[in-house]
Amino acid sequence: MNRSTNEQKYARRRKSPYMVAVALAIVMFMVVAPEVNEGDAMSPTINDGQLLVVSKTSYSAKRGIPDRDKLVILEKNAKNAQNVSKDNIIARVAGLPGETVEIKDGKIYIDGDEYVTENGIKGSDGDLKVKLTKDEVFLLCDNRDKYIDSRNEKLGPVNMKDIKGNVLFCIWPFSRFGGID
């Protein structure tokens, strides 16, 4: 082997970790994305300024529906979302397609059963009753004093196609690093 062939092999071997790192970064950004929470609508679960990692997941009646209590990101350009917030909306999936969501006497009911999140958040002011279609979910913020969710008549039930992804975990601040309930 001549010297230039050895140098070429060495150069390729030296560049390969960088090429793998770039390829992994591209794939990662196709699958996950960062999201900064703005405001206190999801407090106490997520606070203002937290940096979150979001999986880019889409839903529909054909592709599957999100799980109840899943924290999702509603695209700010989604139908009617601009009327409620200037940023993406982070909220919890409460009502699933085909269910009836009712708010009365300070409680939330899903098909007649009281809805309480896995971490104990419950209740809401106001009165509301809505039957969800096969393509809709009902989103609720954890800070029920904020109406940046499906209770707001400007937004209402959300088409699953408008969901940008799921909140996976928090990466900033480090004191809150980890999974999100």
Side-chain angles (χ1 to χ4, degrees), residues 92-111:
R92 186 177 299 276
V93 176
L96 300 173
E99 294 180 333
T100 299
V101 178
E102 184 173 14
I103 300 174
K104 68 178 181 179
D105 301 326
K107 295 181 179 180
I108 301 167
Y109 298 93
I110 309 290
D111 286 341

Side-chain angles (χ1 to χ4, degrees), residues 6-18:
N6 284 338
E7 288 174 1
Q8 288 174 349
K9 283 183 180 181
Y10 176 74
R12 268 192 300 235
R13 229 179 297 144
R14 230 179 102 162
K15 291 178 186 176
S16 68
Y18 299 106

